[in-house]
Amino acid sequence: MTALYAYDAWYPLAWSRDIGRNLAQRRVLEQDLVVYRTQQGQVAALEDVCPHRLAPLSLGTLKDDTVECGYHGLRFDCEGQCVAAPGMARAPTGAAVRSYPTAESMGMVWVWMGDAAKADRNEVFHLPAYDDPDYSVVEGDALPVQANYLNLADNLCDPTHVVYVHKTTLASTGREETRVMHERQGNKVVTWRWVIDGPLIPVFQGLKDFGGANVDRWHYYHYHAPSIAVIDFGSARTGTGAPEGNREDCIQMYACHFITPVDQRSCVQHWLCLKNSPADAAVDERLRANLRLAFNEDKTVLEAIQRNEDKPRDWKRIHLSLDASSIKMRRIVDEMAAGNAH
Amino acid sequence: MTALYAYDAWYPLAWSRDIGRNLAQRRVLEQDLVVYRTQQGQVAALEDVCPHRLAPLSLGTLKDDTVECGYHGLRFDCEGQCVAAPGMARAPTGAAVRSYPTAESMGMVWVWMGDAAKADRNEVFHLPAYDDPDYSVVEGDALPVQANYLNLADNLCDPTHVVYVHKTTLASTGREETRVMHERQGNKVVTWRWVIDGPLIPVFQGLKDFGGANVDRWHYYHYHAPSIAVIDFGSARTGTGAPEGNREDCIQMYACHFITPVDQRSCVQHWLCLKNSPADAAVDERLRANLRLAFNEDKTVLEAIQRNEDKPRDWKRIHLSLDASSIKMRRIVDEMAAGNAH
Amino acid sequence: MTALYAYDAWYPLAWSRDIGRNLAQRRVLEQDLVVYRTQQGQVAALEDVCPHRLAPLSLGTLKDDTVECGYHGLRFDCEGQCVAAPGMARAPTGAAVRSYPTAESMGMVWVWMGDAAKADRNEVFHLPAYDDPDYSVVEGDALPVQANYLNLADNLCDPTHVVYVHKTTLASTGREETRVMHERQGNKVVTWRWVIDGPLIPVFQGLKDFGGANVDRWHYYHYHAPSIAVIDFGSARTGTGAPEGNREDCIQMYACHFITPVDQRSCVQHWLCLKNSPADAAVDERLRANLRLAFNEDKTVLEAIQRNEDKPRDWKRIHLSLDASSIKMRRIVDEMAAGNAH
């Protein structure tokens, strides 16, 4: 019997920039959380319900590092312990809400939804390029998608949809029928494709001047189960040896997708982009707009699929060779949910 | 055990004017369809779901006479056969979506939802007056009604509601208490009423000058199960023998209602009007506005009834003599659904 | 086995000012009612559904003291008896809708939802101050609250939430930690608290000049099960003996809450305020605005609680001493619902 979710994992919760000295409400794996930053700057995440009358604690007030319920004033500390109750000399024994371990990395707050004893902050996801001065960060959105997060995960393991879904943003004209490779590496699936000697795709235009020459383009889709995708994609002038590993004079981007599974029918896609060129307000805004457009193209398809999946029908499906990565990825999530991974 | 719907029947699907060289989405008998016109002008109707990932095909692209899925580019021909799949030399065996027979008649696309082998285009509904040069056509709307289509059908078998629902549009003042007759004819129920020596009803005013004289007015409600109603109504000067069959100098209209059952709680009422007077932009627009108002009066009542029917109550109902036509009509639909009609 | 509601009780139905010579629709204890005033000024309340086709009678027409169905013209008198049916010499035997006893008191129409034989108009709620010339009436709203009416009832038995929910309206600064008392009296629970020697609360300011002196403030929450709350609250200058019963020179208000339970997830909070000072347009409007703000603060909390209660979770709750009144109040409602009260 597999659990509904892989609980023992670090999940993206919110952009760090959105969590401060006020009470924020987030929903992860069907759990409502109240999230805030302590006076020392740590992030606290508590179950968002007062055990007295079930009022959401996020409707209450942050007092020092405690949350005061907005209905009767019960107060809970960062560990979820009730430290004050109205009309009582001391808080009732056993009164507490669940507290969740948190961490911060890559501008993101992460939360551990499973057994707190297993939470190891050294395992929180971090990409070295995020701290590399040769790279600049373009922070994106928190895009709500009314679809199961694994359907979004499928999409982020799959280079073949680009030419059909992203005609005007991420796709080049033609040349997409090159072979897709993939490989499981631990709890990660890597899927990749090279397009040799093709034109620059729209989203790269203006980032580097190749003098109109054709380029070799790579896409490496790294899917870290259960909910992180990093797409390493870039281009170098054809003939300079990029496929053999020489990326000396290239455009490179990491499109990072940090997915918060909300419930079985919705998720939040937090995305950011790292690029090996300096920050530039105009260029970055154009890139952000392009990516926003592309990810909304996916959202349209994924939400329509979800509506079909929700219909009480006995769908017959066919499988294609391009599904191989997705199948491996879902198997890892199943293993993690069954508690036999790692 | 009766099926939920009479599948072996031609159902109204869409106005012909609304189906062209793009992908339209329609829902009929709880089936989603993608509908388009081929280069030769035929109408194709396919199940609106790609069997690969369940994306609606209507989100894709029409390429020649095939539909290309907007997610991974699988292509389906007019018969629903998959003719191309990405990364595969040929389409997977057995990959197909269901295709539905279609026909066109009276400015309407019709679809056969049952056993395709039984579909006979000669049986598609057609009213001779539609092609008669003495009649002009006033095309109406595609009115969505959040009610079971049989409740709308009841309404279209029932002359007695007019005086209560359509006070300012279709009803005359008084004189409605004349006898209603009805008769089953094959899969049709005809219900009729005559009002002798009464004033002209509002909707007829301006169409013909009777010099202020009273008229004899007839209403023949032809309900062709499961989902077509034609209401033949008109007026001739009293004393000229209309009840005996002389309609030489009369106003006559056919109000045609082509109902698309969407599911058990909603339908689309496509309506048009034929009249034995020439097309006239101002007169026709006034007529269209009048009928639109009248059919929206029905919609209000029918949707309120549906909301009551949806309540978890054990309603006790009473039956009146005016229900006789409706009971016969529903019996025919049941017979058709059970497959023992025709 | 307890019934879902205490049916044998007078329930608030609508403001008297809102019921006239037209058909109003109200929903009480999951029953839809059509409500109107007869030519003699009595209020009639009938089940709002025609037993013929289930059209809501409230879509019909008031004719003299009968309701004519808007679909086929069946007519029902004030007792719910069908007195006319179209095409029939007399109404069908047994055709009737349920009729409910009504009464009027305190500007409110009341309805008896249970066994009509037990309805006694002498038991309709009435507060003597309503007719006392020393008091003026400030009529409030009919506030829809998407919460079970007993959760609103909890709130109206509970002085301790005031300081947390109504920071800027009804609460004083500090001094709230005084002892709360309560007592069951028949089918009523009274809960009270005194605050001695404190400042005037915002909602009282401007009503009487105490020359800046501190006051003794009382709150008596009278909850008459199942759905009436009267909060007697006021202030007198400290030292003048208010706690001992001398209210000679005081501010006093009765905040009356007449709750219409709509279903298990929604109710309507009809409120009005009586005060022992003359009507004054400006003062009254400010008071109304203040109370409207306060009751909307409750609404926010109660609706959030309802959303939590509706989640398929096995909540663990803690109980505090402040819950004692609420527990007693709910026990009375259970007794009434079980039919063993009175």
Side-chain angles (χ1 to χ4, degrees):
Chain A
M1 178 65 200
T2 303
L4 204 50
Y5 299 99
Y7 291 98
D8 287 340
W10 287 105
Y11 282 96
L13 175 60
W15 291 114
S16 290
R17 65 184 188 241
D18 291 338
I19 302 303
R21 290 290 294 160
N22 57 340
L23 299 175
Q25 204 277 334
R26 291 293 187 279
R27 188 168 171 84
V28 189
L29 308 192
E30 305 180 22
Q31 282 286 344
D32 292 301
L33 306 183
V34 55
V35 189
Y36 60 98
R37 206 173 277 282
T38 65
Q39 295 170 107
Q40 297 296 322
Q42 308 298 311
V43 176
L46 305 179
E47 195 179 1
D48 186 27
V49 64
C50 178
H52 175 226
R53 290 292 194 172
L54 307 188
L57 292 175
S58 53
L59 285 183
T61 307
L62 179 58
K63 293 214 162 162
D64 301 330
D65 288 350
T66 68
V67 180
E68 181 184 88
C69 177
Y71 199 3
H72 293 99
L74 283 82
R75 278 168 57 176
F76 299 88
D77 66 17
C78 299
E79 280 74 44
Q81 194 55 47
C82 180
V83 294
M88 305 184 81
R90 48 176 158 172
T93 315
V97 294
R98 187 169 168 188
S99 164
Y100 296 83
T102 65
E104 288 188 86
S105 173
M106 298 186 71
M108 192 92 224
V109 176
W110 302 77
V111 66
W112 181 270
M113 298 301 292
D115 179 356
K118 296 185 187 165
D120 178 353
R121 286 186 176 76
N122 293 316
E123 292 180 358
V124 175
F125 184 76
H126 189 266
L127 197 68
Y130 189 81
D131 301 321
D132 185 333
D134 289 344
Y135 287 78
S136 63
V137 180
V138 179
E139 279 207 346
D141 304 323
L143 178 68
V145 180
Q146 303 306 316
N148 187 292
Y149 80 103
L150 292 175
N151 287 355
L152 175 53
D154 287 345
N155 182 282
L156 296 168
C157 291
D158 166 21
T160 67
H161 78 276
V162 173
V163 71
Y164 300 104
V165 177
H166 306 301
K167 288 184 169 67
T168 60
T169 46
L170 303 179
S172 69
T173 52
R175 303 304 305 277
E176 299 292 329
E177 292 304 320
T178 64
R179 197 166 164 210
V180 176
M181 314 289 289
H182 73 276
E183 186 176 88
R184 174 171 177 174
Q185 298 172 358
N187 279 346
K188 185 172 83 167
V189 174
V190 190
T191 312
W192 69 96
R193 152 183 280 181
W194 280 86
V195 178
I196 303 298
D197 198 9
L200 210 59
I201 58 173
V203 80
F204 284 165
Q205 277 157 24
L207 290 180
K208 185 179 284 286
D209 184 12
F210 289 115
N214 269 1
V215 295
D216 295 345
R217 174 159 49 95
W218 64 89
H219 293 91
Y220 285 82
Y221 289 65
H222 300 262
Y223 197 88
H224 304 256
S227 81
I228 300 159
V230 176
I231 302 171
D232 164 12
F233 64 128
S235 289
R237 187 193 291 254
T238 298
T240 58
E244 292 75 32
N246 176 30
R247 296 185 177 185
E248 250 174 62
D249 192 36
C250 70
I251 296 171
Q252 195 198 5
M253 286 190 190
Y254 292 105
C256 300
H257 300 268
F258 304 138
I259 312 174
T260 305
V262 173
D263 57 31
Q264 290 291 310
R265 288 188 174 82
S266 60
C267 59
V268 179
Q269 180 179 9
H270 301 89
W271 57 268
L272 62 77
C273 188
L274 301 175
K275 64 181 202 303
N276 68 340
S277 53
D280 175 306
V283 168
D284 291 1
E285 190 46 45
R286 191 166 57 82
L287 177 61
R288 190 182 286 114
N290 252 311
L291 292 174
R292 183 175 287 139
L293 185 60
F295 302 147
N296 272 289
E297 289 169 334
D298 291 316
K299 174 182 160 87
T300 298
V301 173
L302 293 167
E303 294 186 341
I305 286 174
Q306 187 65 45
R307 287 192 294 272
N308 273 341
E309 290 189 338
D310 287 345
K311 285 172 189 160
R313 291 285 302 273
D314 198 21
W315 299 110
K316 276 179 247 166
R317 303 198 192 199
I318 57 172
H319 291 286
L320 304 180
S321 52
L322 67 87
D323 301 324
S325 298
S326 155
I327 290 167
K328 280 204 175 63
M329 176 276 295
R330 284 172 176 260
R331 191 171 302 140
I332 298 172
V333 175
D334 282 346
E335 288 170 10
M336 294 178 78
N340 54 9
H342 286 290
Chain B
M1 178 66 202
T2 303
L4 203 51
Y5 299 99
Y7 290 98
D8 287 339
W10 286 106
Y11 281 98
L13 176 59
W15 291 114
S16 289
R17 65 183 189 244
D18 290 338
I19 303 302
R21 291 289 294 159
N22 57 340
L23 300 175
Q25 206 276 334
R26 290 293 187 281
R27 188 169 170 82
V28 189
L29 308 193
E30 303 180 24
Q31 282 286 344
D32 293 300
L33 305 183
V34 55
V35 189
Y36 60 98
R37 206 172 278 282
T38 65
Q39 294 170 106
Q40 297 297 322
Q42 307 298 311
V43 176
L46 306 179
E47 195 180 1
D48 187 26
V49 64
C50 179
H52 175 225
R53 289 292 193 172
L54 306 188
L57 292 174
S58 54
L59 285 183
T61 307
L62 180 58
K63 293 213 162 164
D64 302 329
D65 287 351
T66 68
V67 180
E68 181 185 87
C69 178
Y71 200 2
H72 293 99
L74 283 82
R75 279 169 55 178
F76 300 88
D77 66 17
C78 299
E79 281 73 44
Q81 193 56 45
C82 181
V83 293
M88 304 184 82
R90 48 177 160 170
T93 315
V97 294
R98 187 169 168 187
S99 164
Y100 296 83
T102 66
E104 289 187 85
S105 173
M106 297 186 71
M108 191 92 225
V109 176
W110 302 77
V111 66
W112 182 270
M113 297 301 292
D115 179 357
K118 295 185 187 165
D120 179 352
R121 285 186 176 77
N122 293 316
E123 292 179 357
V124 176
F125 184 76
H126 189 265
L127 198 68
Y130 189 80
D131 301 320
D132 185 334
D134 289 345
Y135 286 78
S136 63
V137 180
V138 179
E139 279 207 346
D141 303 324
L143 178 69
V145 180
Q146 304 306 315
N148 187 292
Y149 79 102
L150 292 175
N151 286 356
L152 175 54
D154 287 344
N155 182 282
L156 295 167
C157 291
D158 166 22
T160 66
H161 78 276
V162 173
V163 71
Y164 300 104
V165 178
H166 306 299
K167 289 184 169 68
T168 60
T169 46
L170 303 179
S172 69
T173 52
R175 304 302 305 278
E176 300 292 330
E177 293 304 322
T178 64
R179 198 166 164 210
V180 176
M181 314 289 288
H182 73 277
E183 185 176 87
R184 174 171 176 173
Q185 299 171 358
N187 280 347
K188 186 172 84 167
V189 175
V190 190
T191 312
W192 69 96
R193 152 182 281 181
W194 279 85
V195 178
I196 303 297
D197 198 10
L200 210 58
I201 58 174
V203 81
F204 285 164
Q205 277 157 25
L207 290 180
K208 185 180 282 287
D209 184 12
F210 289 116
N214 268 1
V215 294
D216 295 346
R217 175 158 48 96
W218 66 88
H219 293 90
Y220 285 82
Y221 291 64
H222 300 263
Y223 197 89
H224 304 256
S227 79
I228 300 159
V230 176
I231 302 172
D232 164 13
F233 64 127
S235 288
R237 187 192 290 255
T238 298
T240 58
E244 293 75 33
N246 176 29
R247 295 186 177 185
E248 249 174 61
D249 192 37
C250 70
I251 295 171
Q252 194 198 6
M253 285 189 191
Y254 293 106
C256 300
H257 301 267
F258 304 137
I259 312 174
T260 305
V262 172
D263 57 31
Q264 290 293 309
R265 287 188 175 83
S266 60
C267 60
V268 179
Q269 180 179 9
H270 301 89
W271 57 268
L272 62 76
C273 189
L274 301 174
K275 65 181 202 303
N276 68 342
S277 53
D280 175 305
V283 168
D284 292 1
E285 190 45 47
R286 190 167 57 82
L287 178 60
R288 188 181 288 113
N290 251 311
L291 292 174
R292 183 175 288 139
L293 186 60
F295 302 146
N296 272 288
E297 289 169 335
D298 291 315
K299 174 182 160 88
T300 298
V301 173
L302 293 168
E303 294 186 341
I305 286 174
Q306 186 66 45
R307 286 191 294 273
N308 273 341
E309 290 189 339
D310 287 345
K311 286 173 189 160
R313 292 284 303 273
D314 198 23
W315 298 110
K316 275 180 249 165
R317 305 197 191 200
I318 58 172
H319 292 286
L320 304 180
S321 53
L322 67 89
D323 300 324
S325 299
S326 155
I327 290 168
K328 279 203 175 62
M329 175 277 296
R330 285 172 176 260
R331 192 172 299 141
I332 298 172
V333 175
D334 282 347
E335 288 171 9
M336 293 177 79
N340 53 9
H342 285 289
Chain C
M1 177 67 201
T2 303
L4 202 51
Y5 300 98
Y7 291 97
D8 286 340
W10 287 106
Y11 282 97
L13 175 60
W15 291 114
S16 289
R17 65 184 189 241
D18 291 337
I19 302 302
R21 290 289 295 161
N22 57 340
L23 300 175
Q25 204 277 333
R26 290 292 188 279
R27 188 168 169 82
V28 188
L29 309 193
E30 305 180 22
Q31 282 286 345
D32 293 300
L33 306 183
V34 56
V35 189
Y36 60 98
R37 205 172 278 282
T38 66
Q39 294 170 108
Q40 297 297 322
Q42 308 298 310
V43 176
L46 305 179
E47 195 180 0
D48 186 26
V49 64
C50 179
H52 175 226
R53 291 290 194 172
L54 307 187
L57 292 174
S58 53
L59 286 183
T61 307
L62 180 58
K63 292 213 163 164
D64 302 329
D65 288 350
T66 67
V67 180
E68 180 185 87
C69 177
Y71 199 3
H72 293 98
L74 283 81
R75 278 168 57 177
F76 300 86
D77 67 15
C78 300
E79 281 74 42
Q81 193 55 46
C82 181
V83 294
M88 305 183 81
R90 48 175 158 171
T93 314
V97 295
R98 187 168 167 188
S99 164
Y100 295 83
T102 65
E104 290 187 85
S105 173
M106 298 186 71
M108 192 92 224
V109 176
W110 303 77
V111 66
W112 181 270
M113 297 301 292
D115 179 356
K118 297 185 186 164
D120 179 352
R121 285 186 177 76
N122 293 317
E123 292 180 358
V124 175
F125 184 77
H126 189 265
L127 198 67
Y130 189 80
D131 301 320
D132 185 334
D134 288 344
Y135 286 78
S136 62
V137 179
V138 179
E139 279 208 346
D141 305 324
L143 178 68
V145 180
Q146 304 306 316
N148 188 292
Y149 80 103
L150 292 175
N151 287 356
L152 175 54
D154 286 345
N155 182 282
L156 295 167
C157 290
D158 166 23
T160 67
H161 78 276
V162 173
V163 71
Y164 300 105
V165 177
H166 306 301
K167 288 183 170 66
T168 61
T169 46
L170 304 178
S172 69
T173 52
R175 302 303 306 277
E176 299 292 330
E177 293 304 320
T178 63
R179 196 167 165 209
V180 176
M181 313 289 288
H182 73 277
E183 185 176 88
R184 174 170 176 173
Q185 298 171 359
N187 281 346
K188 184 172 84 165
V189 175
V190 189
T191 312
W192 69 95
R193 150 182 282 182
W194 279 85
V195 178
I196 303 298
D197 198 10
L200 210 59
I201 58 174
V203 80
F204 284 164
Q205 276 156 25
L207 290 180
K208 185 179 284 286
D209 183 13
F210 288 114
N214 268 1
V215 294
D216 296 344
R217 175 159 50 95
W218 65 89
H219 293 89
Y220 284 83
Y221 290 64
H222 300 262
Y223 197 89
H224 304 256
S227 78
I228 300 159
V230 175
I231 302 172
D232 164 11
F233 64 129
S235 288
R237 188 192 290 254
T238 299
T240 57
E244 293 74 34
N246 176 29
R247 295 186 177 183
E248 248 174 62
D249 191 35
C250 70
I251 295 171
Q252 194 197 5
M253 286 189 190
Y254 292 105
C256 300
H257 301 267
F258 304 137
I259 312 174
T260 305
V262 174
D263 58 31
Q264 289 292 310
R265 289 187 173 83
S266 60
C267 60
V268 179
Q269 180 178 8
H270 301 88
W271 57 268
L272 63 75
C273 189
L274 301 174
K275 65 182 202 304
N276 69 341
S277 53
D280 174 306
V283 167
D284 291 0
E285 190 46 47
R286 192 166 58 80
L287 177 61
R288 190 181 287 113
N290 251 312
L291 291 174
R292 183 175 288 139
L293 185 60
F295 302 147
N296 272 288
E297 289 169 334
D298 291 315
K299 174 183 161 87
T300 298
V301 173
L302 292 168
E303 295 186 341
I305 286 173
Q306 187 64 46
R307 286 191 295 273
N308 274 341
E309 290 189 338
D310 287 345
K311 286 173 189 161
R313 292 284 302 272
D314 198 22
W315 299 109
K316 275 179 248 164
R317 306 199 192 199
I318 58 173
H319 291 286
L320 304 179
S321 54
L322 67 88
D323 301 323
S325 298
S326 154
I327 290 167
K328 279 203 175 63
M329 176 277 295
R330 284 172 177 261
R331 192 172 300 141
I332 299 172
V333 175
D334 283 346
E335 288 170 9
M336 294 177 79
N340 53 10
H342 286 290

